[in-house]
Amino acid sequence: MVEIGKVVLDKGWLAARSTEIELTGVQLTTTHPPSGPTSPWMEAVVPGTVLTTLVKNKLVPDPFYGLQNETIIDIADSGREYYTFWFFTTFECNLLNNQHIELNFRAINYSAEVYLNGHKEILPKGMFRRHSVDVTDILHPDGTNLLAVLVHPPDHPGRIPPKGGQGGDHEIGKDVAAQYVEGWDWIAPTRDRNTGIWDEVSFCVTGPVKIVDPHLVSSIFDNNKKIYLHTTTELVNKSSWVAECSLNIQVATELDGNIWSVEHLQTQHLSIPSGAHVHYTFPELFFYKPNLWWPNGMGKQSLYNVEITVDVKGFGESDSWSHHFGFRKIESHIDGATGGRLFKVNGEPIFIRGGNWILSDGLLRLSKKRYETDIKFHADMNFNMIRCWGGALAERPDFYRYCDIYGILVWQEFWITGDVDGRGDPVSNPDGPLDHDLFLLCARDTIKLLRNHPSLALWVGGNEQVPPEDINIALKSYLKLHPHFENLGGNDILREISPMLKDPSQYLDGTRVYVRGSLWDGFADGKGGFTDGPYEIQNPEDFFKEDYYKYGFNPEVGSVGMPVAATIRATMPPEGWEIPLFKKLPNGYVQEVANSIWEYHKYMPYSKPEKKVHDQILLYGTPKDLDDFCLKAQLVNYIQYRALLEGWTSRMWSKYTGVLIWKTQNPWTGLRGQFYDHLHDQTAGFYGCRCAAEPIHVQLNLATCYIEVVNTTSEDVSDVAIEAAIWDLDGTSPYYKVSENLNVPSKRIIPVFEMTYPKSKNAKPAYFLLLKLYNASDFGILSRNFYWLHLPGGDYKHLEPYRNKKIPLKITSQALLRGSTYEVRMRVQNTSKKSDCKSLLDKNKFIKSTTLGDYDSSSLEPVPSAIVGKQDMSLFQKIRRNFSKEPNSLKVAETNGTEEGVAFFLHFSVHALEKDQKEGEDTRILPVHYSDNYFSLVPGEEMPITISFEVPPGITPRVTLNGWNYDGGLTVL
């Protein structure tokens, strides 16, 4: 008997342009199959798009490199047939009696004809719908099956106006498809409009009865102690006889390794008539004090494995389904104090600090590995929410799986954007897609696909627009809340009064709020006014001012995002390495004039003359070349995004309930609004966010000069102390203050004292400020925050000669290896002498969580983590056990330097050690996860750093350290 279950078809595909194939689909899957990648057939990328396949085969240049996208013919000029492609593969499957097989396409764009062994099936239109075709009766007797799929582009691919713009000519909005593909102010047009089999293809073998779309819902009572699991599933009897079934549900949690604890096991018996499609609801399962799922920064992301199986009498196991599920309750409502939307998880208010997300890759080269890196990066920045913007995708299950693991709440929008659905140039059609029924079919299917993920927090109708009235009314009906999930309070009473209340798992969702648009109902002004933004460089102190933003929750506020110089060189030809010209205007401000390649890649300047923002890069002096420009841009990136988040946090609950930054990353090689680039190298803004969004945090209010302590957690912080020390460029500490015996209540921000140094008579024009928040009991550092500052009206130009000051460093490192994964643990110490400042608390005892555990600076050995962090403890333990430690692998690197002072803006990078390295070659190994980067050390201070990364086969890695005082680079491992 063929094994019951799913087989993914992601290898061995061929593709060819339809106009170059004279054979029919019947012929391709019977008498004339392609024999291999011989012209016009080529190796295909599935899942992927036509353009993905053409790039792979080097038939078109990389559209993300330089201006090469301009050399690729656009579908508006070529016609739809040019991007209509055949995809072909074979698979082995030979069924036994009473087995059934379905061929599944989780998504295609935009419609397709499927041929299997000479039989034809039409896959109807819509980018966001699943297709299942029962092919039981057309499998080939010898088990070898020929599959050909003819994929057609969207019906209305549109044309790109000469000036480009948001969504091109908006024609794509007539289809139920991603709208970014005609171009936006952050991406160039996608020439094939993402035509292709862009998501998973598989076949599933079942017995007579199939399980379809189970729905899991947890209801929580008695202060999170009593929890019920409600489960409804669809069952389809494909046989010609009544199926006597044993339907089983099992809930288990992983204890360690492959040891599982079964929390519940229940069996129900039922009869399903021949050909019937029934909905069955299990009796609810009761849990007492189970482990809860919490967002990042609030607790563990506990996940249970729920497995449903169906056994049919006379056959055996017929089908199975499993899903990782988290017990949690999501609520949101408009906060009376701020007017912003306030989110609660398990009854606890969550201050939202997160980002807007477009998609992982503009050519839909989506993978589990890339998704995991993307989502872990967001968790590493201490973010707790991602907004999936309406002009892109209903994100894939793999995306949500990693959001579940790393604790990232998700705001998921449907496929409406104001620019393409009601405004713009030319003015677009406000009535959304032409086929409203198709939109709603895709919406229902998307809800079923994603609803079991604990990370999914909110459904939103569209971006800066409300869906057409009939669609909006339908979505409100589909997503109406079960009474338990309404903000009524007294849910235990509700349950007692209404014991026969309909089971929540019988709703389409029933557990999450639906909001009609991103500017309505607690977001921006709440009434649809364009009160999100701004999207340009800001004066850092402005973020802290009372009048900066009027409303309680800003869904989009954006800024710059210049990557490091190595990324510019890797993604652009030499003419793209020219830095902007700085043009001084009559009003005294500077306008940046970027080269044409930067303009094409949507570069955002570091000045805004019309908003009276001086060029923030020029504050450090005129950059002399690309490396200098990008390094100074990283200084600005760090300050800009740290100030944005700290400014919002400084008015937590009194003025704001949350903020989402536009945007966290680019799905191509863009030059704005990102914390890591498309190659997965982080900007310094990544670490500015990581610092600012700490759950417990000490910060400087740039508007008032007060030191503030932030506690976003659900626990009070007691008996802590703040140490504030100023360091000047001469290596002395003219200002030092300690404030002890502090208590910070849960979810509060406390101003502690004013940092008065800027008002002193002898204040230096540029200086450093180090803040540390300690546990008084053991001097453990809860938060560390380092600032470089200038006096009001000044600049940072005094830092330019400081680059020549050589500060001695000592780096102790140890590398551990598991397969191809390296973990490097190190201590970095500024060995210059300490100032005479009377530091009472400087113990360098870090207790912050890092990638794989917490590290004490006195040892390179891991110590148990108080908070597990982003994965189940068992996974940490498994990883830790499998790392092999090479004997005598402790290494020490030191820099030559005799001067005293701050080792400023240190940053690591990982490279491939190559014997025959070509000049200008990008040797970086990416992605890399750092516990911290772009950091600074005062005299005598040391910091533990962990680095983890995978290395391609045959490559030896080297770790290098650069910094403001170390521009030559130091190999430390």
Side-chain angles (χ1 to χ4, degrees):
M1 181 179 292
V2 178
E3 185 176 352
I4 299 295
K6 180 173 80 171
V7 176
V8 176
L9 302 176
D10 59 357
K11 295 179 176 63
W13 286 86
L14 301 173
R17 183 169 282 113
S18 64
T19 54
E20 299 178 6
I21 300 297
E22 297 180 354
L23 300 170
T24 67
V26 172
Q27 291 172 315
L28 287 173
T29 57
T30 53
T31 57
H32 293 80
S35 57
T38 56
S39 183
W41 292 96
M42 66 194 84
E43 293 183 1
V45 180
V46 176
T49 66
V50 168
L51 198 54
T52 307
T53 288
L54 293 175
V55 170
K56 174 184 172 63
N57 288 277
K58 299 184 178 180
L59 296 175
V60 298
D62 180 358
F64 292 177
Y65 184 87
L67 298 178
Q68 289 182 169
N69 190 52
E70 290 297 285
T71 68
I72 302 173
I73 188 169
D74 192 83
I75 193 172
D77 300 314
S78 67
R80 292 175 67 249
E81 284 191 349
Y82 185 80
Y83 286 109
T84 300
F85 264 62
W86 281 105
F87 293 86
F88 178 88
T89 192
T90 64
F91 64 91
E92 300 291 326
C93 186
N94 196 348
L95 302 181
L96 298 181
N97 288 337
N98 295 318
Q99 284 189 322
H100 299 262
I101 181 173
E102 286 188 345
L103 186 61
N104 299 311
F105 297 83
R106 201 161 64 188
I108 56 100
N109 189 30
Y110 186 64
S111 61
E113 302 166 27
V114 176
Y115 295 84
L116 181 65
N117 301 332
H119 297 263
K120 178 181 179 180
E121 184 77 26
I122 298 293
L123 298 188
K125 300 172 183 178
M127 185 175 179
F128 305 108
R129 66 189 297 181
R130 294 172 294 172
H131 306 272
S132 292
V133 182
D134 192 322
V135 295
T136 303
D137 297 332
I138 57 177
L139 291 190
H140 201 278
D142 69 3
T144 300
N145 301 281
L146 309 181
L147 172 63
V149 185
L150 182 63
V151 181
H152 301 277
D155 292 346
H156 302 89
R159 181 170 294 277
I160 313 304
K163 293 183 179 179
Q166 313 293 73
D169 64 0
H170 317 306
E171 282 291 296
I172 195 70
K174 294 180 178 179
D175 297 330
V176 184
Q179 298 181 357
Y180 76 90
V181 292
E182 283 199 64
W184 224 267
D185 61 3
W186 43 265
I187 195 170
T190 306
R191 300 307 187 186
D192 68 344
R193 307 297 189 264
N194 278 342
T195 301
I197 307 172
W198 68 276
D199 200 6
E200 179 184 275
V201 184
S202 65
F203 68 82
C204 291
V205 176
T206 70
V209 175
K210 179 188 176 185
I211 298 169
V212 179
D213 291 332
H215 187 197
L216 309 175
V217 176
S218 58
S219 59
I220 301 178
F221 304 94
D222 194 15
N223 196 27
N224 300 331
K225 295 177 183 176
K226 299 177 181 178
I227 295 182
Y228 297 86
L229 177 64
H230 311 267
T231 307
T232 293
T233 186
E234 301 173 46
L235 299 166
V236 179
N237 183 359
K238 292 176 170 289
S239 73
S240 58
W241 33 273
V242 175
E244 299 295 334
C245 301
S246 295
L247 190 61
N248 312 294
I249 183 169
Q250 175 180 290
V251 183
T253 182
E254 189 177 13
L255 297 178
D256 183 31
N258 293 318
I259 301 174
W260 289 78
S261 171
V262 177
E263 304 286 331
H264 271 288
L265 177 59
Q266 184 189 93
T267 300
Q268 301 293 318
H269 300 281
L270 65 156
S271 299
I272 305 177
S274 171
H277 188 144
V278 301
H279 286 71
Y280 179 78
T281 299
F282 285 89
E284 60 190 25
L285 300 178
F286 175 73
F287 296 79
Y288 185 69
K289 291 185 177 180
N291 296 323
L292 300 179
W293 184 93
W294 291 95
N296 187 34
M298 293 296 293
K300 291 178 61 175
Q301 291 75 52
S302 299
L303 295 169
Y304 290 76
N305 187 60
V306 179
E307 183 175 9
I308 299 172
T309 59
V310 59
D311 296 299
V312 176
K313 186 177 181 180
F315 179 84
E317 183 176 303
S318 181
D319 199 6
S320 65
W321 176 93
S322 64
H323 200 285
H324 286 91
F325 183 74
F327 292 116
R328 63 97 184 93
K329 183 177 182 178
I330 294 282
E331 300 171 272
S332 76
H333 65 274
I334 299 174
D335 177 46
T338 64
R341 183 157 289 273
L342 189 153
F343 288 84
K344 288 185 176 182
V345 177
N346 304 328
E348 293 284 348
I350 309 294
F351 187 68
I352 297 298
R353 292 175 294 189
N356 285 268
W357 166 271
I358 310 301
L359 69 164
S360 183
D361 178 75
L363 299 187
L364 302 185
R365 293 169 291 195
L366 310 178
S367 69
K368 291 181 180 180
K369 185 174 182 180
R370 187 172 182 92
Y371 270 137
E372 182 174 19
T373 297
D374 285 327
I375 304 308
K376 189 180 188 307
F377 275 177
H378 285 75
D380 286 347
M381 286 187 283
N382 291 310
F383 283 175
N384 54 25
M385 179 175 277
I386 288 176
R387 173 193 172 209
C388 293
W389 176 74
L393 304 183
E395 264 301 352
R396 301 297 88 194
D398 288 332
F399 169 92
Y400 276 91
R401 168 66 177 139
Y402 289 113
C403 287
D404 294 344
I405 290 173
Y406 290 107
I408 306 297
L409 298 170
V410 183
W411 155 341
Q412 178 67 63
E413 285 178 5
F414 295 103
W415 318 284
I416 296 288
T417 58
D419 301 275
V420 179
D421 298 295
R423 65 173 194 269
D425 182 15
V427 175
S428 54
N429 170 31
D431 200 33
L434 296 179
D435 191 338
H436 288 199
D437 289 339
L438 173 59
F439 184 100
L440 292 173
L441 185 153
C442 290
R444 290 193 300 271
D445 202 46
T446 296
I447 293 165
K448 289 182 178 180
L449 179 67
L450 303 177
R451 63 191 177 185
N452 293 319
H453 289 278
S455 56
L456 178 56
L458 182 73
W459 298 104
V460 177
N463 167 61
E464 298 179 345
Q465 180 73 318
V466 174
E469 184 177 5
D470 59 325
I471 292 180
N472 189 49
I473 290 172
L475 291 174
K476 286 174 66 177
S477 176
Y478 297 161
L479 296 168
K480 63 183 178 183
L481 291 175
H482 182 277
H484 173 67
F485 295 92
E486 295 176 355
N487 293 296
L488 300 177
N491 286 312
D492 288 324
I493 298 174
L494 176 67
R495 185 178 180 86
E496 292 174 4
I497 294 173
S498 307
M500 300 304 292
L501 207 61
K502 187 176 181 181
D503 191 298
S505 66
Q506 295 181 28
Y507 282 52
L508 186 59
D509 184 335
T511 68
R512 302 168 180 91
V513 166
Y514 166 74
V515 172
R516 52 188 162 164
S518 65
L519 300 176
W520 280 261
D521 304 326
F523 301 118
D525 69 358
K527 301 175 182 178
F530 294 106
T531 49
D532 46 359
Y535 301 95
E536 61 270 329
I537 192 75
Q538 305 285 299
N539 294 309
E541 64 272 15
D542 289 349
F543 293 115
F544 294 83
K545 294 178 179 177
E546 172 66 28
D547 61 354
Y548 179 74
Y549 188 70
K550 295 181 181 180
Y551 309 104
F553 194 122
N554 194 338
E556 296 183 14
V557 56
S559 191
V560 291
M562 190 67 187
V564 298
T567 291
I568 296 296
R569 293 192 176 96
T571 58
M572 296 180 185
E575 55 266 33
W577 303 353
E578 296 295 326
I579 65 175
L581 300 175
F582 297 97
K583 179 181 178 183
K584 193 163 186 178
L585 302 177
N587 63 1
Y589 291 87
V590 169
Q591 178 183 4
E592 291 184 17
V593 182
N595 68 63
S596 60
I597 299 179
W598 285 25
E599 290 289 343
Y600 191 79
H601 286 255
K602 316 296 184 176
Y603 173 73
M604 179 172 282
Y606 281 70
S607 64
K608 196 70 175 178
E610 59 269 34
K611 298 289 186 179
K612 297 184 178 180
V613 180
H614 285 290
D615 194 288
Q616 299 294 292
I617 287 178
L618 292 183
L619 292 180
Y620 298 88
T622 304
K624 55 183 181 291
D625 54 25
L626 179 65
D627 292 284
D628 194 27
F629 181 92
C630 290
L631 177 60
K632 288 172 178 173
Q634 300 317 310
L635 290 162
V636 181
N637 291 345
Y638 194 106
I639 287 178
Q640 185 75 182
Y641 287 110
R642 177 177 60 182
L644 191 161
L645 285 181
E646 288 184 340
W648 241 269
T649 306
S650 70
R651 300 184 185 276
M652 176 177 67
W653 309 128
S654 63
K655 184 174 175 60
Y656 301 131
T657 60
V659 61
L660 298 175
I661 298 173
W662 182 268
K663 49 193 175 14
T664 56
Q665 45 75 249
N666 275 297
W668 77 309
T669 49
L671 299 180
R672 65 166 63 188
Q674 60 185 356
F675 300 126
Y676 58 92
D677 59 45
H678 192 255
L679 305 182
H680 272 155
D681 201 354
Q682 301 105 331
T683 74
F686 183 106
Y687 295 95
C689 286
R690 181 185 180 95
C691 172
E694 291 176 311
I696 299 171
H697 181 62
V698 59
Q699 66 183 39
L700 173 68
N701 187 309
L702 296 180
T704 65
C705 260
Y706 264 77
I707 308 299
E708 302 170 337
V709 181
V710 178
N711 179 9
T712 64
T713 74
S714 57
E715 302 292 333
D716 293 345
V717 175
S718 59
D719 197 16
V720 295
I722 292 175
E723 180 187 56
I726 295 289
W727 293 85
D728 61 26
L729 302 188
D730 297 323
T732 62
S733 179
Y735 175 94
Y736 179 80
K737 184 170 182 176
V738 173
S739 182
E740 300 180 86
N741 302 317
L742 301 175
N743 297 305
V744 188
S746 168
K747 300 181 178 61
R748 289 282 302 278
I749 179 163
I750 304 296
V752 182
F753 61 86
E754 183 181 5
M755 193 274 291
T756 58
Y757 177 77
K759 297 178 180 179
S760 62
K761 293 181 179 180
N762 298 319
K764 301 295 179 65
Y767 56 94
F768 304 112
L769 169 66
L770 176 61
L771 301 178
K772 291 183 181 180
L773 180 70
Y774 292 88
N775 273 327
S777 59
D778 60 1
F779 303 115
I781 300 172
L782 294 169
S783 174
R784 178 189 182 277
N785 202 348
F786 182 89
Y787 295 84
W788 52 103
L789 300 163
H790 60 71
L791 295 181
D795 56 41
Y796 295 110
K797 291 177 182 175
H798 286 80
L799 287 175
E800 186 65 28
Y802 190 72
R803 299 173 84 159
N804 298 319
K805 194 167 187 177
K806 300 306 176 186
I807 311 299
L809 291 176
K810 180 180 179 181
I811 303 102
T812 306
S813 60
Q814 185 178 59
L816 296 91
L817 180 63
R818 179 180 60 87
S820 61
T821 299
Y822 276 80
E823 181 192 320
V824 180
R825 313 178 199 165
M826 59 182 65
R827 293 196 313 269
V828 186
Q829 183 179 9
N830 179 343
T831 56
S832 66
K833 295 180 181 179
K834 293 184 182 181
S835 167
D836 293 333
C837 75
K838 298 177 181 179
S839 176
L840 301 177
L841 300 177
D842 185 13
K843 302 294 185 182
N844 288 314
K845 183 178 179 182
F846 284 82
I847 60 174
K848 296 196 300 181
S849 178
T850 59
T851 304
L852 293 174
D854 291 340
Y855 293 87
D856 189 307
S857 64
S858 63
S859 171
L860 287 175
E861 292 300 312
V863 297
S865 175
I867 300 176
V868 173
K870 311 299 183 287
Q871 300 176 346
D872 297 336
M873 173 62 81
S874 57
L875 181 55
F876 277 88
Q877 292 169 339
K878 285 186 287 186
I879 291 175
R880 181 63 62 209
R881 281 199 305 265
N882 289 323
F883 273 108
S884 61
K885 188 186 300 182
E886 299 176 8
N888 303 316
S889 60
L890 200 67
K891 297 182 179 179
V892 177
E894 295 187 78
T895 65
N896 294 322
T898 59
E899 299 178 82
E900 298 176 5
V902 172
F904 183 51
F905 216 52
L906 304 173
H907 46 280
F908 288 102
S909 56
V910 182
H911 299 261
L913 184 60
E914 297 181 359
K915 294 181 180 179
D916 301 320
Q917 180 182 336
K918 300 176 183 177
E919 185 177 355
E921 182 181 358
D922 186 10
T923 61
R924 288 174 297 172
I925 293 174
L926 297 170
V928 181
H929 298 278
Y930 301 92
S931 64
D932 205 352
N933 217 358
Y934 294 98
F935 60 96
S936 303
L937 297 174
V938 303
E941 190 181 23
E942 61 183 32
M943 181 179 289
I945 299 289
T946 57
I947 305 175
S948 62
F949 53 91
E950 288 190 23
V951 176
I955 297 296
T956 300
R958 62 183 174 92
V959 179
T960 63
L961 177 69
N962 285 82
W964 192 253
N965 313 88
Y966 312 91
D967 57 0
L970 171 70
T971 298
V972 299
L973 186 69

